[in-house]
């Protein structure tokens, strides 16, 4: 199972790498592959089909309303600043943008402010 998760997580790592997000390191969280920025996890695999992406609660609500086929939550994540993503339903471009959003959400302010912002979510 771990090798399968590593192969699946390669897509996440490549997209984060292509965005050039500083301070990112591969790690594990709850026994699955994760990416951290300065020791703070911002994304991890939940299982082979699902990604856990940390984000502000307002963004989580908006994403789930706009694209319920991609973004969802389980009872465990209600009230928690994280949204679940169906990996087979999300395009690389959108996933790449969400990874940067999550990175900004968890990165230290100084590190995040040193990186130019891209277009806001949805725009």
């Amino acid at each position: 199972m771990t090798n399968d998760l590593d192969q699946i997580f390669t897509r996440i790592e490549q997209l984060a790498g292509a965005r050039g997000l500083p301070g990112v390191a591969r790690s594990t969280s709850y026994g699955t592959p994760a990416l951290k920025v300065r020791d703070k996890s911002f994304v991890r695999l939940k299982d082979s089909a699902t990604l856990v992406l940390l984000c502000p609660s307002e963004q989580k609500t908006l994403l789930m309303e706009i694209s319920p086929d991609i973004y969802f939550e389980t009872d465990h994540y209600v009230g928690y600043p994280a949204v679940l993503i169906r990996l087979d339903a999300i395009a690389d471009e959108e996933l790449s943008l969400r990874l940067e959003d999550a990175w900004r959400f968890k990165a230290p302010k100084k590190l995040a402010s040193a990186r130019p912002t891209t277009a806001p979510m949805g725009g």
Side-chain angles (χ1 to χ4, degrees), residues 54-64 98 101-102 121:
L54 276 79
C55 65
S57 296
E58 316 79 60
Q59 182 183 23
K60 171 183 177 174
T61 301
L62 184 63
L63 289 170
M64 290 190 306
R98 296 294 81 80
D101 289 345
M121 188 181 85

Side-chain angles (χ1 to χ4, degrees), residues 3-71:
N3 285 343
D4 292 344
L5 293 181
D6 286 339
Q7 287 181 327
I8 292 164
F9 202 68
T10 297
R11 174 185 178 201
I12 311 308
E13 287 182 296
Q14 288 173 342
L15 291 172
R19 288 205 82 79
L21 303 173
V24 173
R26 180 166 177 162
S27 186
T28 57
S29 180
Y30 300 98
T32 62
L35 290 180
K36 294 184 176 184
V37 54
R38 302 275 169 90
D39 294 324
K40 290 185 179 182
S41 181
F42 66 95
V43 64
R44 76 171 185 93
L45 274 182
K46 182 177 184 303
D47 54 47
S48 62
T50 314
L51 195 67
V52 179
L53 184 90
L54 276 79
C55 65
S57 296
E58 316 79 60
Q59 182 183 23
K60 171 183 177 174
T61 301
L62 184 63
L63 289 170
M64 290 190 306
E65 287 175 4
I66 293 171
S67 300
D69 54 320
I70 298 173
Y71 305 100

Side-chain angles (χ1 to χ4, degrees), residues 46-109:
K46 182 177 184 303
D47 54 47
S48 62
T50 314
L51 195 67
V52 179
L53 184 90
L54 276 79
C55 65
S57 296
E58 316 79 60
Q59 182 183 23
K60 171 183 177 174
T61 301
L62 184 63
L63 289 170
M64 290 190 306
E65 287 175 4
I66 293 171
S67 300
D69 54 320
I70 298 173
Y71 305 100
F72 68 105
E73 69 181 345
T74 60
D75 289 345
H76 179 78
Y77 289 95
V78 172
Y80 189 72
V83 67
L84 301 178
I85 298 175
R86 291 178 182 91
L87 286 171
D88 62 351
I90 190 167
D92 283 356
E93 183 177 351
E94 184 169 350
L95 181 53
S96 175
L97 293 171
R98 296 294 81 80
L99 289 171
E100 181 159 347
D101 289 345
W103 176 87
R104 284 188 183 285
F105 180 56
K106 298 307 288 185
K109 297 290 181 237

